[in-house]
Coordinates of all heavy atoms in Angstrom, one line a residue:
M11 N 0.8 -1.2 0.0 CA 0.0 0.0 0.0 C 0.9 1.2 0.0 O 1.8 1.3 0.7 CB -0.9 0.0 1.3 CG -2.1 0.9 1.2 SD -1.9 2.6 1.5 CE -1.1 2.8 3.0
V12 N 0.6 2.2 -0.9 CA 1.3 3.4 -1.0 C 0.4 4.5 -0.5 O -0.7 4.7 -0.9 CB 1.8 3.7 -2.4 CG1 2.5 5.0 -2.5 CG2 2.7 2.5 -2.9
L13 N 1.0 5.3 0.4 CA 0.2 6.5 0.9 C 0.1 7.5 -0.2 O 1.1 7.8 -0.9 CB 1.0 7.1 2.1 CG 0.3 8.3 2.8 CD1 -1.0 7.8 3.5 CD2 1.3 8.8 3.8
S14 N -1.1 8.0 -0.5 CA -1.3 8.9 -1.6 C -1.1 10.4 -1.2 O -0.8 11.2 -2.0 CB -2.8 8.7 -2.1 OG -3.0 7.5 -2.6
F15 N -1.4 10.7 0.1 CA -1.3 12.1 0.5 C -1.0 12.2 2.0 O -1.5 11.4 2.8 CB -2.7 12.8 0.2 CG -2.7 14.2 0.5 CD1 -2.2 15.2 -0.3 CD2 -3.3 14.6 1.7 CE1 -2.2 16.5 0.0 CE2 -3.4 16.0 2.0 CZ -2.8 16.9 1.2
G16 N -0.1 13.1 2.3 CA 0.2 13.4 3.7 C 0.4 14.9 3.9 O 0.9 15.5 3.0
A17 N -0.1 15.4 5.0 CA 0.1 16.8 5.3 C 0.3 17.0 6.8 O -0.2 16.2 7.6 CB -1.1 17.6 4.9
C18 N 1.2 17.9 7.2 CA 1.5 18.1 8.6 C 1.1 19.6 8.9 O 1.7 20.5 8.4 CB 3.0 17.9 8.8 SG 3.5 18.2 10.5
G19 N 0.1 19.7 9.8 CA -0.3 21.0 10.3 C 0.4 21.2 11.7 O 0.6 22.3 12.1
G20 N 0.7 20.1 12.4 CA 1.4 20.2 13.7 C 2.9 20.5 13.6 O 3.5 20.4 12.5
N21 N 3.4 20.8 14.7 CA 4.9 21.0 14.8 C 5.4 22.3 14.2 O 6.5 22.6 14.1 CB 5.7 19.9 14.4 CG 5.5 18.6 15.2 OD1 5.1 18.7 16.3 ND2 5.7 17.5 14.6
L22 N 4.4 23.1 13.6 CA 4.8 24.4 13.0 C 5.0 25.5 14.1 O 6.0 26.2 14.1 CB 3.8 24.8 12.0 CG 3.6 23.9 10.8 CD1 2.5 24.4 9.9 CD2 4.9 23.7 10.0
T23 N 4.0 25.5 14.9 CA 4.1 26.5 16.1 C 3.3 25.9 17.2 O 2.7 24.8 17.0 CB 3.4 27.8 15.7 OG1 2.1 27.6 15.5 CG2 4.1 28.4 14.4
V24 N 3.2 26.6 18.3 CA 2.4 26.1 19.4 C 1.1 26.9 19.5 O 1.0 28.0 18.9 CB 3.2 26.2 20.8 CG1 4.4 25.3 20.8 CG2 3.6 27.6 21.1
G25 N 0.2 26.4 20.2 CA -1.2 26.9 20.4 C -1.7 28.2 19.8 O -1.0 29.2 19.8
G26 N -2.9 28.1 19.3 CA -3.6 29.3 18.9 C -3.3 29.9 17.5 O -3.7 31.0 17.3
T27 N -2.6 29.2 16.7 CA -2.3 29.7 15.4 C -3.1 29.2 14.2 O -2.8 29.5 13.1 CB -0.8 29.5 15.1 OG1 -0.5 28.1 15.1 CG2 0.1 30.2 16.1
G28 N -4.1 28.4 14.5 CA -5.0 27.9 13.5 C -4.7 26.6 12.8 O -5.2 26.3 11.7
K29 N -3.8 25.8 13.5 CA -3.5 24.5 12.9 C -4.7 23.6 12.7 O -4.9 23.0 11.7 CB -2.4 23.8 13.7 CG -1.1 24.6 13.8 CD 0.0 23.8 14.6 CE -0.4 23.7 16.1 NZ -0.5 24.9 16.9
T30 N -5.5 23.4 13.8 CA -6.6 22.5 13.8 C -7.7 23.0 12.7 O -8.2 22.1 12.0 CB -7.2 22.4 15.2 OG1 -6.2 21.8 16.0 CG2 -8.5 21.5 15.2
P31 N -8.0 24.3 12.7 CA -9.0 24.7 11.6 C -8.4 24.4 10.2 O -9.2 24.1 9.3 CB -9.2 26.2 11.8 CG -8.9 26.4 13.3 CD -7.8 25.4 13.6
A32 N -7.1 24.5 10.0 CA -6.5 24.2 8.7 C -6.6 22.8 8.4 O -6.9 22.4 7.3 CB -5.0 24.7 8.7
V33 N -6.4 21.9 9.4 CA -6.5 20.4 9.2 C -8.0 20.1 8.8 O -8.3 19.4 7.9 CB -6.1 19.6 10.4 CG1 -6.5 18.2 10.3 CG2 -4.6 19.7 10.5
S34 N -8.9 20.8 9.5 CA -10.4 20.6 9.2 C -10.7 21.0 7.7 O -11.4 20.3 7.0 CB -11.2 21.4 10.2 OG -12.6 21.2 9.9
R35 N -10.1 22.1 7.3 CA -10.3 22.5 5.9 C -9.8 21.5 4.9 O -10.4 21.2 3.9 CB -9.7 23.9 5.6 CG -10.3 25.0 6.5 CD -11.5 25.5 5.8 NE -11.9 26.6 6.7 CZ -12.9 27.4 6.3 NH1 -13.5 27.2 5.2 NH2 -13.3 28.4 7.1
V36 N -8.6 20.9 5.2 CA -8.0 19.9 4.3 C -8.9 18.7 4.3 O -9.2 18.2 3.2 CB -6.6 19.5 4.8 CG1 -6.1 18.3 4.0 CG2 -5.6 20.7 4.6
I37 N -9.5 18.3 5.4 CA -10.4 17.1 5.4 C -11.6 17.4 4.5 O -12.0 16.6 3.7 CB -10.8 16.8 6.9 CG1 -9.7 16.3 7.7 CG2 -11.9 15.7 6.8 CD1 -10.0 16.2 9.2
E38 N -12.1 18.6 4.6 CA -13.3 19.0 3.8 C -13.0 19.0 2.3 O -13.8 18.7 1.5 CB -13.8 20.4 4.2 CG -14.4 20.4 5.6 CD -14.6 21.8 6.1 OE1 -14.2 22.8 5.4 OE2 -15.1 21.9 7.2
A39 N -11.7 19.3 2.0 CA -11.3 19.5 0.6 C -10.9 18.2 -0.1 O -10.7 18.1 -1.3 CB -10.3 20.5 0.4
L40 N -10.7 17.1 0.7 CA -10.2 15.9 0.2 C -11.1 15.3 -0.9 O -12.3 15.2 -0.7 CB -9.9 14.8 1.3 CG -8.8 15.0 2.2 CD1 -8.8 14.0 3.3 CD2 -7.5 15.0 1.5
P41 N -10.5 14.8 -2.0 CA -11.3 14.1 -2.9 C -11.8 12.7 -2.3 O -11.1 12.2 -1.4 CB -10.4 13.9 -4.1 CG -9.0 14.0 -3.6 CD -9.1 14.9 -2.4
E42 N -12.8 12.2 -2.8 CA -13.4 11.0 -2.3 C -12.4 9.8 -2.2 O -12.4 9.0 -1.3 CB -14.7 10.6 -3.1 CG -15.5 9.5 -2.4 CD -16.1 9.9 -1.1 OE1 -16.5 11.1 -0.9 OE2 -16.1 9.1 -0.2
E43 N -11.6 9.7 -3.2 CA -10.6 8.6 -3.2 C -9.6 8.6 -2.1 O -8.9 7.6 -1.8 CB -9.9 8.4 -4.6 CG -9.1 9.6 -5.0 CD -9.9 10.6 -5.8 OE1 -11.1 10.6 -5.8 OE2 -9.2 11.5 -6.4
L44 N -9.5 9.8 -1.4 CA -8.5 9.9 -0.3 C -9.2 9.8 1.1 O -8.6 9.9 2.1 CB -7.7 11.2 -0.4 CG -6.8 11.3 -1.5 CD1 -6.1 12.6 -1.5 CD2 -5.8 10.2 -1.5
R45 N -10.5 9.6 1.1 CA -11.3 9.5 2.3 C -11.5 8.0 2.7 O -11.5 7.2 1.9 CB -12.7 10.2 2.1 CG -12.5 11.6 1.9 CD -13.9 12.2 1.5 NE -13.8 13.6 1.2 CZ -14.3 14.6 1.9 NH1 -15.1 14.3 2.9 NH2 -14.2 15.8 1.6
P46 N -11.6 7.7 4.0 CA -11.5 8.7 5.1 C -10.1 8.9 5.5 O -9.2 8.0 5.4 CB -12.3 7.9 6.2 CG -12.1 6.5 5.9 CD -12.0 6.4 4.4
A47 N -9.8 10.1 5.9 CA -8.5 10.5 6.3 C -8.2 9.9 7.7 O -9.1 9.7 8.5 CB -8.3 12.0 6.4
L48 N -6.9 9.8 8.0 CA -6.4 9.4 9.3 C -5.8 10.7 9.9 O -4.8 11.2 9.3 CB -5.5 8.3 9.3 CG -4.7 8.0 10.6 CD1 -5.7 7.7 11.8 CD2 -3.7 6.9 10.4
V49 N -6.3 11.2 11.0 CA -5.7 12.4 11.6 C -5.0 11.9 12.9 O -5.5 11.3 13.8 CB -6.8 13.4 12.0 CG1 -6.2 14.6 12.7 CG2 -7.6 13.8 10.8
L50 N -3.7 12.2 12.9 CA -2.8 11.9 14.1 C -2.4 13.1 14.8 O -2.1 14.1 14.2 CB -1.6 11.1 13.6 CG -1.7 9.8 12.9 CD1 -0.4 9.4 12.3 CD2 -2.3 8.8 13.8
A51 N -2.5 13.0 16.1 CA -2.1 14.2 17.0 C -1.4 13.7 18.2 O -1.6 12.5 18.6 CB -3.3 15.0 17.4
R52 N -0.5 14.5 18.7 CA 0.2 14.1 19.9 C -0.8 14.3 21.1 O -1.7 15.1 21.1 CB 1.4 15.1 20.2 CG 2.5 14.8 19.3 CD 3.8 14.8 20.1 NE 4.9 14.8 19.3 CZ 5.7 13.7 19.2 NH1 5.4 12.6 19.9 NH2 6.7 13.7 18.4
D53 N -0.6 13.4 22.1 CA -1.3 13.5 23.3 C -0.4 13.8 24.4 O 0.6 13.1 24.7 CB -2.0 12.2 23.6 CG -2.8 12.1 24.8 OD1 -3.1 13.2 25.4 OD2 -3.2 11.1 25.3
Y54 N -0.6 14.9 25.1 CA 0.2 15.3 26.2 C -0.4 15.0 27.5 O -0.1 15.6 28.5 CB 0.6 16.8 26.1 CG 1.4 17.1 24.8 CD1 0.8 17.7 23.7 CD2 2.7 16.8 24.8 CE1 1.5 17.9 22.5 CE2 3.5 17.1 23.6 CZ 2.8 17.6 22.5 OH 3.6 17.9 21.4
G55 N -1.4 14.1 27.5 CA -2.0 13.7 28.8 C -3.2 14.6 29.2 O -3.8 14.4 30.3
E56 N -3.6 15.6 28.3 CA -4.7 16.5 28.7 C -6.0 16.0 28.2 O -7.0 16.7 28.3 CB -4.4 17.9 28.3 CG -4.6 18.2 26.8 CD -3.5 17.7 25.9 OE1 -2.5 17.1 26.3 OE2 -3.6 18.1 24.7
G57 N -6.1 14.8 27.6 CA -7.3 14.3 27.0 C -8.4 14.0 28.0 O -8.1 13.8 29.2
F58 N -9.6 14.0 27.5 CA -10.8 13.6 28.3 C -11.7 12.7 27.5 O -11.6 12.7 26.2 CB -11.5 14.8 28.8 CG -12.0 15.7 27.7 CD1 -13.3 15.6 27.2 CD2 -11.1 16.7 27.2 CE1 -13.7 16.5 26.2 CE2 -11.6 17.6 26.2 CZ -12.9 17.4 25.7
A59 N -12.4 11.9 28.2 CA -13.3 10.9 27.5 C -14.6 11.6 27.1 O -15.2 12.4 27.9 CB -13.6 9.7 28.4
L60 N -15.1 11.3 25.9 CA -16.4 11.8 25.4 C -16.8 10.9 24.3 O -16.1 10.6 23.4 CB -16.2 13.3 24.9 CG -17.5 13.9 24.4 CD1 -18.5 14.2 25.5 CD2 -17.1 15.3 23.7
D61 N -18.1 10.4 24.4 CA -18.6 9.5 23.4 C -17.7 8.3 23.1 O -17.6 7.9 21.9 CB -18.9 10.3 22.1 CG -19.9 11.4 22.2 OD1 -20.8 11.2 23.1 OD2 -19.8 12.4 21.5
G62 N -17.1 7.8 24.1 CA -16.3 6.5 24.0 C -15.0 6.7 23.4 O -14.3 5.8 23.0
W63 N -14.5 8.0 23.3 CA -13.2 8.2 22.7 C -12.5 9.2 23.7 O -13.1 10.2 24.2 CB -13.3 8.8 21.3 CG -12.0 9.0 20.6 CD1 -11.2 8.0 20.0 CD2 -11.3 10.2 20.4 NE1 -10.1 8.6 19.5 CE2 -10.1 9.9 19.7 CE3 -11.5 11.5 20.8 CZ2 -9.2 10.9 19.3 CZ3 -10.6 12.5 20.4 CH2 -9.4 12.2 19.7
T64 N -11.2 9.0 23.9 CA -10.4 9.9 24.7 C -9.4 10.7 23.9 O -8.7 10.1 23.1 CB -9.7 9.2 25.8 OG1 -10.6 8.4 26.6 CG2 -8.9 10.1 26.7
G65 N -9.5 12.0 24.0 CA -8.6 12.9 23.3 C -8.7 14.3 23.8 O -9.4 14.6 24.7
N66 N -7.9 15.2 23.2 CA -7.9 16.6 23.7 C -9.0 17.3 23.0 O -9.8 16.8 22.1 CB -6.6 17.2 23.5 CG -6.1 17.3 22.0 OD1 -7.0 17.3 21.1 ND2 -4.9 17.5 21.8
D67 N -9.2 18.6 23.3 CA -10.3 19.4 22.7 C -10.3 19.5 21.2 O -11.3 19.4 20.6 CB -10.4 20.8 23.4 CG -9.1 21.6 23.3 OD1 -8.1 21.0 23.0 OD2 -9.2 22.8 23.6
E68 N -9.1 19.6 20.6 CA -9.0 19.7 19.2 C -9.4 18.4 18.5 O -10.1 18.4 17.5 CB -7.5 20.0 18.7 CG -7.1 21.4 19.1 CD -6.3 21.5 20.4 OE1 -6.4 20.5 21.2 OE2 -5.7 22.5 20.6
G69 N -9.0 17.3 19.1 CA -9.4 16.0 18.6 C -11.0 15.8 18.6 O -11.6 15.3 17.7
H70 N -11.6 16.2 19.7 CA -13.0 16.1 19.9 C -13.7 17.0 18.9 O -14.7 16.6 18.2 CB -13.5 16.4 21.3 CG -13.2 15.3 22.2 ND1 -13.8 14.1 22.2 CD2 -12.3 15.2 23.3 CE1 -13.4 13.3 23.2 NE2 -12.4 13.9 23.8
L71 N -13.2 18.2 18.7 CA -13.7 19.1 17.7 C -13.7 18.5 16.3 O -14.7 18.5 15.6 CB -13.0 20.4 17.7 CG -13.4 21.5 16.6 CD1 -14.7 22.1 17.0 CD2 -12.3 22.5 16.5
L72 N -12.5 18.0 15.9 CA -12.4 17.4 14.6 C -13.3 16.2 14.4 O -13.9 16.0 13.3 CB -10.9 17.1 14.3 CG -10.0 18.2 14.0 CD1 -8.6 17.8 14.0 CD2 -10.4 19.0 12.7
R73 N -13.4 15.4 15.4 CA -14.3 14.2 15.3 C -15.7 14.6 15.2 O -16.5 13.9 14.4 CB -14.1 13.3 16.6 CG -12.8 12.5 16.6 CD -12.7 11.6 17.8 NE -13.4 10.3 17.4 CZ -14.4 9.8 18.1 NH1 -14.8 10.3 19.2 NH2 -15.0 8.7 17.7
R74 N -16.1 15.6 15.8 CA -17.5 16.1 15.7 C -17.8 16.6 14.3 O -18.8 16.4 13.7 CB -17.8 17.2 16.7 CG -19.2 17.2 17.3 CD -19.4 18.2 18.4 NE -18.4 18.1 19.4 CZ -17.6 19.2 19.8 NH1 -17.8 20.3 19.2 NH2 -16.7 19.1 20.7
R75 N -16.8 17.4 13.7 CA -17.0 18.0 12.4 C -16.8 16.9 11.3 O -17.4 17.1 10.2 CB -15.9 19.1 12.2 CG -16.3 20.3 12.9 CD -15.3 21.4 12.6 NE -15.6 22.6 13.3 CZ -14.8 23.6 13.4 NH1 -13.7 23.6 12.8 NH2 -15.2 24.7 14.1
H76 N -16.0 15.9 11.5 CA -15.7 14.9 10.5 C -15.9 13.5 11.0 O -14.9 12.8 11.2 CB -14.3 15.1 10.0 CG -14.0 16.6 9.6 ND1 -14.5 17.1 8.4 CD2 -13.4 17.6 10.2 CE1 -14.2 18.4 8.4 NE2 -13.5 18.7 9.4
P77 N -17.1 13.1 11.2 CA -17.3 11.7 11.8 C -16.8 10.6 11.0 O -16.6 9.5 11.5 CB -18.8 11.7 12.0 CG -19.4 12.7 11.1 CD -18.4 13.8 10.9
A78 N -16.6 10.7 9.7 CA -16.2 9.6 8.9 C -14.7 9.4 8.9 O -14.1 8.4 8.6 CB -16.6 9.8 7.4
A79 N -14.0 10.5 9.4 CA -12.5 10.4 9.5 C -12.1 9.5 10.7 O -12.8 9.3 11.6 CB -11.9 11.8 9.6
H80 N -10.8 9.0 10.6 CA -10.3 8.3 11.7 C -9.3 9.2 12.5 O -8.6 10.0 11.9 CB -9.5 7.1 11.2 CG -10.3 6.2 10.3 ND1 -11.3 5.4 10.8 CD2 -10.2 5.9 9.0 CE1 -11.8 4.7 9.9 NE2 -11.2 5.0 8.8
F81 N -9.3 9.0 13.8 CA -8.5 9.8 14.7 C -7.7 9.0 15.7 O -8.2 8.0 16.2 CB -9.4 10.8 15.5 CG -10.1 11.8 14.6 CD1 -11.4 11.5 14.1 CD2 -9.5 12.9 14.2 CE1 -12.0 12.3 13.2 CE2 -10.1 13.8 13.3 CZ -11.4 13.5 12.9
A82 N -6.5 9.4 15.9 CA -5.7 8.8 17.0 C -4.8 9.9 17.6 O -4.2 10.7 16.9 CB -4.8 7.7 16.4
Q83 N -4.7 9.8 18.9 CA -3.9 10.7 19.7 C -3.0 9.9 20.6 O -3.6 9.1 21.4 CB -4.7 11.8 20.5 CG -5.4 12.8 19.6 CD -6.1 13.8 20.4 OE1 -6.6 13.6 21.5 NE2 -6.1 15.0 19.8
A84 N -1.7 10.2 20.6 CA -0.8 9.4 21.5 C 0.5 10.2 21.5 O 0.8 10.9 20.5 CB -0.6 8.0 21.0
A85 N 1.3 10.0 22.5 CA 2.6 10.5 22.5 C 3.5 10.0 21.4 O 4.3 10.7 20.8 CB 3.3 10.2 23.8
D86 N 3.3 8.8 21.0 CA 4.0 8.1 19.9 C 3.0 8.0 18.7 O 2.2 7.1 18.6 CB 4.5 6.8 20.3 CG 5.3 6.1 19.2 OD1 5.2 6.5 18.0 OD2 6.0 5.1 19.6
R87 N 3.0 8.9 17.8 CA 2.0 8.9 16.7 C 2.2 7.8 15.7 O 1.3 7.3 15.1 CB 2.1 10.3 15.9 CG 1.5 11.4 16.7 CD 1.5 12.7 15.9 NE 2.8 13.2 15.8 CZ 3.1 14.5 15.5 NH1 2.1 15.3 15.2 NH2 4.3 15.0 15.5
V88 N 3.5 7.3 15.6 CA 3.7 6.1 14.7 C 3.0 4.9 15.3 O 2.3 4.2 14.6 CB 5.2 5.9 14.5 CG1 5.5 4.6 13.8 CG2 5.9 7.1 13.8
A89 N 3.2 4.7 16.6 CA 2.5 3.5 17.2 C 1.0 3.7 17.1 O 0.3 2.7 16.9 CB 2.9 3.4 18.7
A90 N 0.5 4.9 17.2 CA -1.0 5.1 17.2 C -1.5 4.8 15.8 O -2.6 4.4 15.6 CB -1.3 6.6 17.6
A91 N -0.7 5.0 14.7 CA -1.1 4.8 13.4 C -1.1 3.3 13.0 O -1.8 2.9 12.0 CB -0.2 5.6 12.4
E92 N -0.2 2.6 13.6 CA 0.0 1.2 13.2 C -1.3 0.3 13.0 O -1.5 -0.3 12.0 CB 1.0 0.5 14.1 CG 2.4 0.9 13.9 CD 3.4 0.3 14.9 OE1 3.0 -0.3 15.8 OE2 4.6 0.5 14.6
P93 N -2.3 0.4 14.0 CA -3.5 -0.4 13.8 C -4.3 0.0 12.5 O -4.9 -0.9 11.9 CB -4.3 -0.1 15.1 CG -3.3 0.4 16.1 CD -2.2 1.1 15.3
F94 N -4.2 1.3 12.2 CA -5.0 1.7 11.0 C -4.3 1.1 9.7 O -5.0 0.8 8.8 CB -5.0 3.2 10.9 CG -5.9 3.8 12.1 CD1 -5.3 4.3 13.2 CD2 -7.2 3.9 11.9 CE1 -6.0 4.8 14.3 CE2 -8.0 4.4 13.0 CZ -7.4 4.9 14.1
F95 N -3.0 1.1 9.7 CA -2.3 0.6 8.5 C -2.3 -0.9 8.5 O -2.0 -1.5 7.4 CB -0.9 1.1 8.4 CG -0.9 2.6 8.0 CD1 -0.7 3.6 8.9 CD2 -1.0 2.9 6.6 CE1 -0.8 4.9 8.4 CE2 -1.1 4.2 6.2 CZ -0.9 5.2 7.1
A96 N -2.6 -1.6 9.6 CA -2.7 -3.1 9.6 C -4.1 -3.5 9.2 O -4.3 -4.7 8.9 CB -2.4 -3.6 11.0
A97 N -5.0 -2.6 9.0 CA -6.4 -2.9 8.7 C -6.5 -3.3 7.2 O -5.6 -3.1 6.4 CB -7.3 -1.7 9.0
D98 N -7.6 -4.0 6.9 CA -7.8 -4.4 5.5 C -7.9 -3.2 4.5 O -7.5 -3.4 3.4 CB -9.1 -5.2 5.4 CG -9.0 -6.5 6.1 OD1 -7.9 -7.1 6.3 OD2 -10.1 -7.1 6.5
A99 N -8.4 -2.1 4.9 CA -8.4 -0.9 4.1 C -7.7 0.2 4.8 O -8.3 1.1 5.4 CB -9.9 -0.5 3.8
P100 N -6.3 0.2 4.7 CA -5.6 1.3 5.3 C -5.8 2.6 4.7 O -6.3 2.8 3.6 CB -4.1 0.9 5.1 CG -4.2 0.0 3.9 CD -5.5 -0.7 3.9
P101 N -5.6 3.7 5.5 CA -5.8 5.1 5.0 C -5.0 5.4 3.8 O -3.8 4.9 3.7 CB -5.6 5.9 6.2 CG -4.7 5.1 7.1 CD -5.0 3.7 6.8
R102 N -5.5 6.2 2.9 CA -4.7 6.7 1.8 C -4.2 8.1 2.1 O -3.5 8.7 1.3 CB -5.6 6.8 0.6 CG -6.3 5.5 0.2 CD -5.3 4.5 -0.5 NE -4.5 5.0 -1.5 CZ -4.8 5.1 -2.8 NH1 -6.0 4.6 -3.2 NH2 -4.0 5.5 -3.7
C103 N -4.7 8.7 3.2 CA -4.3 10.1 3.5 C -4.1 10.2 5.0 O -4.9 9.7 5.8 CB -5.5 11.0 3.1 SG -5.2 12.7 3.7
V104 N -3.0 10.8 5.4 CA -2.6 11.0 6.8 C -2.4 12.5 7.0 O -1.6 13.1 6.3 CB -1.4 10.2 7.2 CG1 -1.0 10.5 8.7 CG2 -1.6 8.7 7.1
L105 N -3.1 13.0 8.0 CA -2.9 14.4 8.4 C -2.4 14.5 9.8 O -2.9 13.8 10.7 CB -4.2 15.2 8.3 CG -4.9 15.1 6.9 CD1 -6.3 15.7 7.0 CD2 -4.1 15.9 5.9
L106 N -1.4 15.3 10.1 CA -0.9 15.5 11.4 C -1.4 16.9 12.0 O -1.2 17.9 11.3 CB 0.6 15.5 11.4 CG 1.3 14.3 10.9 CD1 2.8 14.4 11.0 CD2 0.9 13.0 11.6
D107 N -2.1 16.8 13.1 CA -2.6 18.0 13.7 C -1.7 18.3 15.0 O -1.5 17.5 15.8 CB -4.0 17.9 14.1 CG -4.6 19.2 14.7 OD1 -4.0 20.2 14.4 OD2 -5.6 19.1 15.5

């Protein structure tokens, strides 16, 4: 499987600069053949449980706006992505928030 598209919104700056809204816009603009996207984010331990998923406020916001997308938050983003790539239909698009 070859990844078709990847984009990194995270690691550019810290808080409040619009990274999560930019990732949301990219998800909205994705062509159908790249959906559903996998959004990976770092987890610094500030996550909370809501609707059976634990993540930070940005993760919950993106999950609410894009319910078809896949989300994972962990200190180790590579490890968090592994189950998605081991699936029968791995993601064709990965976004880092």
Side-chain angles (χ1 to χ4, degrees):
M11 198 283 303
V12 176
L13 184 65
S14 297
F15 181 79
C18 179
N21 296 333
L22 298 175
T23 67
V24 295
T27 58
K29 296 179 299 292
T30 298
V33 168
S34 182
R35 298 275 183 174
V36 171
I37 294 170
E38 292 167 357
L40 286 175
E42 193 60 39
E43 62 269 14
L44 293 180
R45 294 173 184 243
L48 169 60
V49 179
L50 297 173
R52 285 226 189 252
D53 178 13
Y54 296 102
E56 77 279 9
F58 58 94
L60 180 67
D61 297 329
W63 186 77
T64 300
N66 64 20
D67 55 344
E68 291 95 347
H70 286 290
L71 173 75
L72 288 171
R73 286 187 82 235
R74 214 172 316 120
R75 287 187 180 167
H76 308 286
H80 302 293
F81 296 92
Q83 290 187 327
D86 183 345
R87 287 184 283 199
V88 173
E92 286 176 352
F94 294 96
F95 284 100
D98 290 338
R102 302 286 312 272
C103 173
V104 175
L105 304 171
L106 303 180
D107 182 24

